[in-house]
Amino acid sequence: MFFIGIFGVEDKEKEIKIVDKIQCKSCNNITRGRLIKSFRYFHFFFIPIFKWNEEYYIVCESCNKVFSISKDKGKDIENGNNIEITYWDLKEINMNYNYTSVCNNCKKVVDSEYEYCPYCGNKLR
Ligand SMILES: [Zn+2]
Ligand SMILES: [Zn+2]
C-alpha cells in the first residue's frame, strides 16, 4: 500500500447551475431545479487525471426529489446552451441507482447507502 494518498479514485459531484424551469414529476410544480453532475475520477497527488462515469441529475427545488437526465442534455446545459428540461427528460431514479437522496442539511446528493452524510456528517436515516 505504498501509493496511498498519491494515487486514488474518488467520487465527486458538482453543482453545474440552477435550471430556471422544470416541471417536477414528483410534486408537479413548475419550479427551479439544480443540475448536478457526478463523476468518478482518478487522481495523482490530488490532481484529477481523468474522469469517467459522468452522470447528470436534476434536483427539484421544491420537493428535493432527484431525477436523472440524459448525458447529452446535461452536457449541453453545462456548455451554456439554453436547453429546456421538459417533463419527459426527467427520469425518476429507482432504488437500484446509487444516488437517491439529498442531504437536507447541505443539500448535496448523497448515495443512499450512507447513514451519515459524507459531506457534512448529518444523519440521513
Ligand atoms: Zn418536486
Ligand atoms: Zn450533508
Side-chain angles (χ1 to χ4, degrees), residues 24 26-28 60 62-65:
C24 178
S26 166
C27 62
N28 274 319
C60 170
S62 113
C63 69
N64 266 347
K65 174 102 183 160

Side-chain angles (χ1 to χ4, degrees), residues 22-32 59-67:
I22 61 158
Q23 184 179 6
C24 178
K25 269 187 170 169
S26 166
C27 62
N28 274 319
N29 287 327
I30 303 220
T31 178
R32 296 198 307 173
V59 182
C60 170
E61 282 217 324
S62 113
C63 69
N64 266 347
K65 174 102 183 160
V66 184
F67 299 94

Side-chain angles (χ1 to χ4, degrees), residues 1 6 12 18 20-21 27 31 42 45 50 59 64 71 77-78 100 102-103 106 108 122:
M1 297 314 260
I6 299 176
K12 257 248 158 19
I18 305 280
D20 285 334
K21 208 179 88 181
C27 62
T31 178
F42 178 79
F45 280 108
F50 63 86
V59 182
N64 266 347
K71 216 185 250 181
I77 300 172
E78 186 180 12
T100 52
V102 173
C103 170
C106 66
K108 285 193 194 293
N122 182 40

Side-chain angles (χ1 to χ4, degrees), residues 14-68:
K14 176 170 136 194
E15 185 169 315
I16 311 281
K17 67 177 278 190
I18 305 280
V19 180
D20 285 334
K21 208 179 88 181
I22 61 158
Q23 184 179 6
C24 178
K25 269 187 170 169
S26 166
C27 62
N28 274 319
N29 287 327
I30 303 220
T31 178
R32 296 198 307 173
R34 295 188 297 134
L35 178 67
I36 286 172
K37 173 186 184 177
S38 83
F39 54 89
R40 187 159 281 191
Y41 71 93
F42 178 79
H43 65 77
F44 176 65
F45 280 108
F46 302 104
I47 300 160
I49 312 279
F50 63 86
K51 298 192 250 182
W52 74 100
N53 248 351
E54 289 176 315
E55 311 255 12
Y56 291 88
Y57 300 93
I58 293 278
V59 182
C60 170
E61 282 217 324
S62 113
C63 69
N64 266 347
K65 174 102 183 160
V66 184
F67 299 94
S68 72

Side-chain angles (χ1 to χ4, degrees), residues 102-110 116-124:
V102 173
C103 170
N104 54 25
N105 182 44
C106 66
K107 308 286 187 227
K108 285 193 194 293
V109 181
V110 174
Y116 292 90
C117 173
Y119 302 99
C120 72
N122 182 40
K123 191 162 175 30
L124 300 169

